[in-house]
Amino acid sequence: MSTAAPPQFNPFDPSFTETPYELYAALRDDDPVQYSELLCGWVVTRHDDVVALLRDPTVSSSVHSATPTPVTEIELQRLAEQPRAGRTVVMMDDPDHARTRRLMATPFRASEIEALRGRVHERMHAALDVLAERGRTVGGPSTRGTAVPVDFDLVEDFAYPLPVEIFSEMLGVPAEDGPKFRHWTQCVARSVDPVLPDDERDECLAGLDEMCAYLADQAELKRAHPADDLMSHLVHAEIDGERLNDLDLMSQLVTLYMAGHEPTSVLIGNGTLALTRHPDQLESLRSDRSLMRNAIAELLRYDGPNQFTRRITTRPTTLSGVELPAGAVVYAGLASANRDPRFWGDDSEVVRIARPDASKHLQFGAGAHACLGSHLARLQAEVAFDAILDRLVGLEVVGEPVVATRMFLRGLTSLPVRATITPRP
Ligand code: HEM
C-alpha cells in the first residue's frame, strides 16, 4: 500500500478515456471500495468484491431500492420520462426478473444460437466481399480479378454495423429497416449513463420514442402473422399462463438491442487491436483455431467493453472491510476485476490467449443477471475473428485508433487498417 492519497475515481477525466487500467490498479491497491462524491456511490474495483456483490442474492438491480441521491433522482426522473422502455429485465429484481428472463431465454440457448452460425457467417463474409470490391475499384481496371491492399475502418465498416444487422435479422425486422437501428441504438446506449449532459437528453429520448413506435408496429405484425424469428417467439412466449405484457415486451426489445450491439462490436474492435499489438498471440491463433473460444474469453478479460455494472445494497454489506449501509449505490468494476493480479496472477496486464482460466472473466457479469446473450456474442466473435484471420492478409493498423468512453462502456469507435482481402475460402 502506498502512502500517497489514493486517486479519486472520475469517469470524466480525459486520462480515464485514454486508459482506465492504471487508475483501476491504484484503486485496487489503495482504496478498493471508494466513496465517490461525484457519483454518490461506492466504486468497487477488486475481483473478489465484484464477484461477491454480483452473486449476493440480497442486492438489488433497481434504482428504486437506493437511498435517494442527486444522481438517483435524475435517473428516476428520466425513467419516468421514458415509460415505454422503463421495465428492462436488467433493472428488475425477483420475482419479476426470474419470470421475465424465463420468458426470454429459449432463443438465446447455446443450441438455438449455434443454428444461426450459417447466417452470421454469410453476413460477415458478405461485408468483407464489399470491402474487397472497394479495393478492386480503387485499384482500377489493371487490378480487376486480383486482390490488392485496401484501407478501411475495421470498426465503422465491419465490427459496428454487423451485430445490429445480425440481431435485426434474428428478430425478424425487414432488411431494409435494419439501418435505422444504428441511430436508435446509439441514442439508447447514451441514455444509460448515470450523468448525461442536458443537451443530449432530448435527442436520446426522441430516438428511443421512434424505436419503440417502430418495434410496437412490428410486434403487432408478428402477433397476427407469426414467423420463425425472435420477435414472434417473444410475443407468443407463455410459461404457466404468464406472458410478457406490451410494456414489458417493448422494454425487453429495446434492452436486447442495447445490451447486445455495442459490446459485441467493441469485442471485435478491441480484440483485433489487442491481437495486432501482440503479434505472437495473433500467430498462435492463426495457426491453432482450436484456441478461438479461449482467445475470445481472454480478449474480453483483457480489454472488454463493460467497465462497470451497478447494484444497490438492501442490507448493510461489507466489502474489503468497508461497511456499506442498506440502500447504497455500488458500481461494480468488471473491467478492473478482470485485471486484478490477486485473482489472475502477475501476468494479468498482458494477453495470453491460452490462459487456462480465461473463461472466468467477468465481462458477461455473474449471478442472476449474467448476460443472456453471451452465446450470441461469442458466436459472432468466433465467426468475425475466423474471417479476419482467413481473409485479411497483411493486416496492419494504419491510423490512430479512436476510443470512446462512457463510464459503463468503453471501446474503439474507429480502427483504420490496411489489408489485402482474399476471396472466401
Ligand atoms: C461481448 C458482448 C457482450 C457483453 C460483454 C455483455 C455483457 C453483459 C453483462 C456484463 C451483463 C450483466 C449486467 C448486470 O449484471 O447488471 C449483461 C446482461 C445482459 N445481456 Fe449482455 N453482453 C454482450 C452481448 C449481449 C448480446 C449479444 C445480447 C443479446 C442480443 C445481450 C443481452 C443481455 C441481456 C438481455 C442482459 C440482461 C440479463 C439480466 O438482467 O438478467 N448481451 N450482458
Side-chain angles (χ1 to χ4, degrees), residues 364-389:
F364 289 128
H369 286 269
C371 181
L372 183 68
S374 58
H375 298 299
L376 178 59
R378 268 194 294 257
L379 171 71
Q380 294 182 69
E382 275 171 35
V383 176
F385 286 123
D386 259 335
I388 289 169
L389 292 171

PDB file of all heavy atoms in Angstrom, residues 364-389:
ATOM      1  N   PHE A 364     -19.162 -10.912 -18.934  1.00  0.00           N
ATOM      2  CA  PHE A 364     -20.576 -11.260 -19.074  1.00  0.00           C
ATOM      3  C   PHE A 364     -21.296 -11.180 -17.729  1.00  0.00           C
ATOM      4  O   PHE A 364     -22.416 -11.674 -17.602  1.00  0.00           O
ATOM      5  CB  PHE A 364     -20.739 -12.658 -19.678  1.00  0.00           C
ATOM      6  CG  PHE A 364     -20.370 -12.743 -21.145  1.00  0.00           C
ATOM      7  CD1 PHE A 364     -19.473 -13.695 -21.604  1.00  0.00           C
ATOM      8  CD2 PHE A 364     -20.921 -11.860 -22.069  1.00  0.00           C
ATOM      9  CE1 PHE A 364     -19.125 -13.769 -22.952  1.00  0.00           C
ATOM     10  CE2 PHE A 364     -20.580 -11.926 -23.422  1.00  0.00           C
ATOM     11  CZ  PHE A 364     -19.685 -12.883 -23.865  1.00  0.00           C
ATOM     12  N   GLY A 365     -20.694 -10.560 -16.736  1.00  0.00           N
ATOM     13  CA  GLY A 365     -21.310 -10.457 -15.425  1.00  0.00           C
ATOM     14  C   GLY A 365     -21.264 -11.797 -14.712  1.00  0.00           C
ATOM     15  O   GLY A 365     -20.490 -12.694 -15.060  1.00  0.00           O
ATOM     16  N   ALA A 366     -22.097 -11.941 -13.681  1.00  0.00           N
ATOM     17  CA  ALA A 366     -22.170 -13.183 -12.894  1.00  0.00           C
ATOM     18  C   ALA A 366     -23.465 -13.123 -12.106  1.00  0.00           C
ATOM     19  O   ALA A 366     -24.050 -12.057 -11.936  1.00  0.00           O
ATOM     20  CB  ALA A 366     -20.973 -13.286 -11.951  1.00  0.00           C
ATOM     21  N   GLY A 367     -23.910 -14.285 -11.636  1.00  0.00           N
ATOM     22  CA  GLY A 367     -25.127 -14.313 -10.818  1.00  0.00           C
ATOM     23  C   GLY A 367     -26.385 -14.241 -11.675  1.00  0.00           C
ATOM     24  O   GLY A 367     -26.362 -14.513 -12.880  1.00  0.00           O
ATOM     25  N   ALA A 368     -27.476 -13.851 -11.047  1.00  0.00           N
ATOM     26  CA  ALA A 368     -28.798 -13.931 -11.691  1.00  0.00           C
ATOM     27  C   ALA A 368     -28.901 -13.102 -12.964  1.00  0.00           C
ATOM     28  O   ALA A 368     -29.634 -13.455 -13.887  1.00  0.00           O
ATOM     29  CB  ALA A 368     -29.866 -13.470 -10.690  1.00  0.00           C
ATOM     30  N   HIS A 369     -28.168 -11.999 -13.036  1.00  0.00           N
ATOM     31  CA  HIS A 369     -28.270 -11.113 -14.207  1.00  0.00           C
ATOM     32  C   HIS A 369     -27.176 -11.372 -15.246  1.00  0.00           C
ATOM     33  O   HIS A 369     -27.009 -10.559 -16.156  1.00  0.00           O
ATOM     34  CB  HIS A 369     -28.205  -9.653 -13.764  1.00  0.00           C
ATOM     35  CG  HIS A 369     -29.453  -9.179 -13.099  1.00  0.00           C
ATOM     36  ND1 HIS A 369     -30.487  -8.584 -13.801  1.00  0.00           N
ATOM     37  CD2 HIS A 369     -29.849  -9.225 -11.815  1.00  0.00           C
ATOM     38  CE1 HIS A 369     -31.466  -8.274 -12.960  1.00  0.00           C
ATOM     39  NE2 HIS A 369     -31.097  -8.646 -11.738  1.00  0.00           N
ATOM     40  N   ALA A 370     -26.452 -12.484 -15.118  1.00  0.00           N
ATOM     41  CA  ALA A 370     -25.365 -12.745 -16.087  1.00  0.00           C
ATOM     42  C   ALA A 370     -25.923 -12.679 -17.500  1.00  0.00           C
ATOM     43  O   ALA A 370     -27.088 -13.004 -17.750  1.00  0.00           O
ATOM     44  CB  ALA A 370     -24.753 -14.110 -15.817  1.00  0.00           C
ATOM     45  N   CYS A 371     -25.077 -12.270 -18.419  1.00  0.00           N
ATOM     46  CA  CYS A 371     -25.511 -11.944 -19.782  1.00  0.00           C
ATOM     47  C   CYS A 371     -26.367 -13.040 -20.421  1.00  0.00           C
ATOM     48  O   CYS A 371     -25.961 -14.195 -20.497  1.00  0.00           O
ATOM     49  CB  CYS A 371     -24.284 -11.691 -20.650  1.00  0.00           C
ATOM     50  SG  CYS A 371     -24.725 -11.248 -22.340  1.00  0.00           S
ATOM     51  N   LEU A 372     -27.522 -12.637 -20.904  1.00  0.00           N
ATOM     52  CA  LEU A 372     -28.423 -13.567 -21.600  1.00  0.00           C
ATOM     53  C   LEU A 372     -27.916 -13.843 -23.010  1.00  0.00           C
ATOM     54  O   LEU A 372     -28.218 -14.886 -23.591  1.00  0.00           O
ATOM     55  CB  LEU A 372     -29.819 -12.923 -21.668  1.00  0.00           C
ATOM     56  CG  LEU A 372     -30.950 -13.716 -22.288  1.00  0.00           C
ATOM     57  CD1 LEU A 372     -31.305 -14.916 -21.411  1.00  0.00           C
ATOM     58  CD2 LEU A 372     -32.178 -12.832 -22.464  1.00  0.00           C
ATOM     59  N   GLY A 373     -27.178 -12.917 -23.573  1.00  0.00           N
ATOM     60  CA  GLY A 373     -26.776 -13.030 -24.981  1.00  0.00           C
ATOM     61  C   GLY A 373     -25.347 -13.504 -25.173  1.00  0.00           C
ATOM     62  O   GLY A 373     -24.778 -13.334 -26.253  1.00  0.00           O
ATOM     63  N   SER A 374     -24.760 -14.136 -24.145  1.00  0.00           N
ATOM     64  CA  SER A 374     -23.329 -14.469 -24.252  1.00  0.00           C
ATOM     65  C   SER A 374     -23.054 -15.451 -25.399  1.00  0.00           C
ATOM     66  O   SER A 374     -22.039 -15.336 -26.080  1.00  0.00           O
ATOM     67  CB  SER A 374     -22.797 -15.033 -22.931  1.00  0.00           C
ATOM     68  OG  SER A 374     -23.527 -16.181 -22.565  1.00  0.00           O
ATOM     69  N   HIS A 375     -23.957 -16.418 -25.645  1.00  0.00           N
ATOM     70  CA  HIS A 375     -23.700 -17.369 -26.744  1.00  0.00           C
ATOM     71  C   HIS A 375     -23.740 -16.643 -28.099  1.00  0.00           C
ATOM     72  O   HIS A 375     -22.935 -16.919 -28.986  1.00  0.00           O
ATOM     73  CB  HIS A 375     -24.738 -18.500 -26.742  1.00  0.00           C
ATOM     74  CG  HIS A 375     -24.701 -19.331 -25.500  1.00  0.00           C
ATOM     75  ND1 HIS A 375     -23.587 -20.041 -25.120  1.00  0.00           N
ATOM     76  CD2 HIS A 375     -25.633 -19.549 -24.533  1.00  0.00           C
ATOM     77  CE1 HIS A 375     -23.833 -20.666 -23.978  1.00  0.00           C
ATOM     78  NE2 HIS A 375     -25.059 -20.374 -23.597  1.00  0.00           N
ATOM     79  N   LEU A 376     -24.675 -15.707 -28.215  1.00  0.00           N
ATOM     80  CA  LEU A 376     -24.768 -14.945 -29.475  1.00  0.00           C
ATOM     81  C   LEU A 376     -23.519 -14.079 -29.673  1.00  0.00           C
ATOM     82  O   LEU A 376     -22.965 -13.990 -30.766  1.00  0.00           O
ATOM     83  CB  LEU A 376     -26.034 -14.074 -29.454  1.00  0.00           C
ATOM     84  CG  LEU A 376     -26.249 -13.173 -30.668  1.00  0.00           C
ATOM     85  CD1 LEU A 376     -26.327 -13.989 -31.953  1.00  0.00           C
ATOM     86  CD2 LEU A 376     -27.522 -12.331 -30.500  1.00  0.00           C
ATOM     87  N   ALA A 377     -23.086 -13.438 -28.597  1.00  0.00           N
ATOM     88  CA  ALA A 377     -21.890 -12.587 -28.692  1.00  0.00           C
ATOM     89  C   ALA A 377     -20.675 -13.422 -29.085  1.00  0.00           C
ATOM     90  O   ALA A 377     -19.896 -13.047 -29.962  1.00  0.00           O
ATOM     91  CB  ALA A 377     -21.645 -11.889 -27.357  1.00  0.00           C
ATOM     92  N   ARG A 378     -20.537 -14.580 -28.429  1.00  0.00           N
ATOM     93  CA  ARG A 378     -19.381 -15.440 -28.720  1.00  0.00           C
ATOM     94  C   ARG A 378     -19.417 -15.958 -30.147  1.00  0.00           C
ATOM     95  O   ARG A 378     -18.393 -15.995 -30.835  1.00  0.00           O
ATOM     96  CB  ARG A 378     -19.345 -16.613 -27.735  1.00  0.00           C
ATOM     97  CG  ARG A 378     -18.497 -16.322 -26.506  1.00  0.00           C
ATOM     98  CD  ARG A 378     -18.204 -17.581 -25.736  1.00  0.00           C
ATOM     99  NE  ARG A 378     -19.430 -18.125 -25.185  1.00  0.00           N
ATOM    100  CZ  ARG A 378     -19.787 -18.021 -23.904  1.00  0.00           C
ATOM    101  NH1 ARG A 378     -18.999 -17.406 -23.058  1.00  0.00           N
ATOM    102  NH2 ARG A 378     -20.903 -18.526 -23.470  1.00  0.00           N
ATOM    103  N   LEU A 379     -20.623 -16.356 -30.592  1.00  0.00           N
ATOM    104  CA  LEU A 379     -20.737 -16.860 -31.962  1.00  0.00           C
ATOM    105  C   LEU A 379     -20.272 -15.792 -32.958  1.00  0.00           C
ATOM    106  O   LEU A 379     -19.492 -16.063 -33.875  1.00  0.00           O
ATOM    107  CB  LEU A 379     -22.187 -17.260 -32.260  1.00  0.00           C
ATOM    108  CG  LEU A 379     -22.469 -17.598 -33.723  1.00  0.00           C
ATOM    109  CD1 LEU A 379     -21.810 -18.917 -34.110  1.00  0.00           C
ATOM    110  CD2 LEU A 379     -23.963 -17.674 -34.005  1.00  0.00           C
ATOM    111  N   GLN A 380     -20.762 -14.571 -32.767  1.00  0.00           N
ATOM    112  CA  GLN A 380     -20.387 -13.506 -33.701  1.00  0.00           C
ATOM    113  C   GLN A 380     -18.883 -13.252 -33.665  1.00  0.00           C
ATOM    114  O   GLN A 380     -18.241 -13.057 -34.697  1.00  0.00           O
ATOM    115  CB  GLN A 380     -21.143 -12.227 -33.377  1.00  0.00           C
ATOM    116  CG  GLN A 380     -22.629 -12.358 -33.616  1.00  0.00           C
ATOM    117  CD  GLN A 380     -23.355 -11.051 -33.338  1.00  0.00           C
ATOM    118  OE1 GLN A 380     -23.206 -10.093 -34.066  1.00  0.00           O
ATOM    119  NE2 GLN A 380     -24.142 -11.015 -32.278  1.00  0.00           N
ATOM    120  N   ALA A 381     -18.330 -13.265 -32.459  1.00  0.00           N
ATOM    121  CA  ALA A 381     -16.884 -13.011 -32.347  1.00  0.00           C
ATOM    122  C   ALA A 381     -16.092 -14.139 -32.997  1.00  0.00           C
ATOM    123  O   ALA A 381     -15.109 -13.894 -33.708  1.00  0.00           O
ATOM    124  CB  ALA A 381     -16.503 -12.848 -30.878  1.00  0.00           C
ATOM    125  N   GLU A 382     -16.523 -15.385 -32.799  1.00  0.00           N
ATOM    126  CA  GLU A 382     -15.813 -16.518 -33.414  1.00  0.00           C
ATOM    127  C   GLU A 382     -15.797 -16.386 -34.928  1.00  0.00           C
ATOM    128  O   GLU A 382     -14.757 -16.517 -35.570  1.00  0.00           O
ATOM    129  CB  GLU A 382     -16.519 -17.835 -33.063  1.00  0.00           C
ATOM    130  CG  GLU A 382     -16.102 -18.429 -31.741  1.00  0.00           C
ATOM    131  CD  GLU A 382     -16.995 -19.607 -31.345  1.00  0.00           C
ATOM    132  OE1 GLU A 382     -17.447 -20.371 -32.237  1.00  0.00           O
ATOM    133  OE2 GLU A 382     -17.255 -19.727 -30.141  1.00  0.00           O
ATOM    134  N   VAL A 383     -16.983 -16.112 -35.488  1.00  0.00           N
ATOM    135  CA  VAL A 383     -17.077 -16.022 -36.949  1.00  0.00           C
ATOM    136  C   VAL A 383     -16.252 -14.821 -37.432  1.00  0.00           C
ATOM    137  O   VAL A 383     -15.541 -14.905 -38.436  1.00  0.00           O
ATOM    138  CB  VAL A 383     -18.555 -15.915 -37.386  1.00  0.00           C
ATOM    139  CG1 VAL A 383     -18.650 -15.720 -38.890  1.00  0.00           C
ATOM    140  CG2 VAL A 383     -19.324 -17.167 -36.963  1.00  0.00           C
ATOM    141  N   ALA A 384     -16.338 -13.713 -36.717  1.00  0.00           N
ATOM    142  CA  ALA A 384     -15.624 -12.500 -37.134  1.00  0.00           C
ATOM    143  C   ALA A 384     -14.110 -12.713 -37.098  1.00  0.00           C
ATOM    144  O   ALA A 384     -13.398 -12.404 -38.056  1.00  0.00           O
ATOM    145  CB  ALA A 384     -16.008 -11.322 -36.239  1.00  0.00           C
ATOM    146  N   PHE A 385     -13.606 -13.260 -35.985  1.00  0.00           N
ATOM    147  CA  PHE A 385     -12.144 -13.440 -35.895  1.00  0.00           C
ATOM    148  C   PHE A 385     -11.656 -14.489 -36.895  1.00  0.00           C
ATOM    149  O   PHE A 385     -10.580 -14.348 -37.467  1.00  0.00           O
ATOM    150  CB  PHE A 385     -11.718 -13.795 -34.463  1.00  0.00           C
ATOM    151  CG  PHE A 385     -11.789 -12.615 -33.522  1.00  0.00           C
ATOM    152  CD1 PHE A 385     -12.561 -12.652 -32.373  1.00  0.00           C
ATOM    153  CD2 PHE A 385     -11.079 -11.445 -33.793  1.00  0.00           C
ATOM    154  CE1 PHE A 385     -12.633 -11.558 -31.508  1.00  0.00           C
ATOM    155  CE2 PHE A 385     -11.139 -10.350 -32.935  1.00  0.00           C
ATOM    156  CZ  PHE A 385     -11.919 -10.406 -31.790  1.00  0.00           C
ATOM    157  N   ASP A 386     -12.451 -15.534 -37.113  1.00  0.00           N
ATOM    158  CA  ASP A 386     -12.070 -16.516 -38.145  1.00  0.00           C
ATOM    159  C   ASP A 386     -11.980 -15.832 -39.503  1.00  0.00           C
ATOM    160  O   ASP A 386     -11.026 -16.052 -40.261  1.00  0.00           O
ATOM    161  CB  ASP A 386     -13.112 -17.646 -38.209  1.00  0.00           C
ATOM    162  CG  ASP A 386     -12.616 -18.888 -37.475  1.00  0.00           C
ATOM    163  OD1 ASP A 386     -11.386 -19.058 -37.349  1.00  0.00           O
ATOM    164  OD2 ASP A 386     -13.466 -19.671 -37.023  1.00  0.00           O
ATOM    165  N   ALA A 387     -12.976 -15.002 -39.816  1.00  0.00           N
ATOM    166  CA  ALA A 387     -12.988 -14.318 -41.123  1.00  0.00           C
ATOM    167  C   ALA A 387     -11.788 -13.377 -41.228  1.00  0.00           C
ATOM    168  O   ALA A 387     -11.121 -13.303 -42.268  1.00  0.00           O
ATOM    169  CB  ALA A 387     -14.293 -13.547 -41.299  1.00  0.00           C
ATOM    170  N   ILE A 388     -11.492 -12.666 -40.155  1.00  0.00           N
ATOM    171  CA  ILE A 388     -10.351 -11.736 -40.160  1.00  0.00           C
ATOM    172  C   ILE A 388      -9.050 -12.513 -40.390  1.00  0.00           C
ATOM    173  O   ILE A 388      -8.211 -12.138 -41.212  1.00  0.00           O
ATOM    174  CB  ILE A 388     -10.317 -10.938 -38.826  1.00  0.00           C
ATOM    175  CG1 ILE A 388     -11.473  -9.932 -38.800  1.00  0.00           C
ATOM    176  CG2 ILE A 388      -8.978 -10.249 -38.626  1.00  0.00           C
ATOM    177  CD1 ILE A 388     -11.714  -9.267 -37.448  1.00  0.00           C
ATOM    178  N   LEU A 389      -8.897 -13.632 -39.685  1.00  0.00           N
ATOM    179  CA  LEU A 389      -7.652 -14.406 -39.822  1.00  0.00           C
ATOM    180  C   LEU A 389      -7.551 -15.067 -41.194  1.00  0.00           C
ATOM    181  O   LEU A 389      -6.473 -15.177 -41.769  1.00  0.00           O
ATOM    182  CB  LEU A 389      -7.577 -15.479 -38.727  1.00  0.00           C
ATOM    183  CG  LEU A 389      -7.408 -14.946 -37.300  1.00  0.00           C
ATOM    184  CD1 LEU A 389      -7.563 -16.075 -36.293  1.00  0.00           C
ATOM    185  CD2 LEU A 389      -6.052 -14.275 -37.120  1.00  0.00           C
TER     186      LEU A 389
END
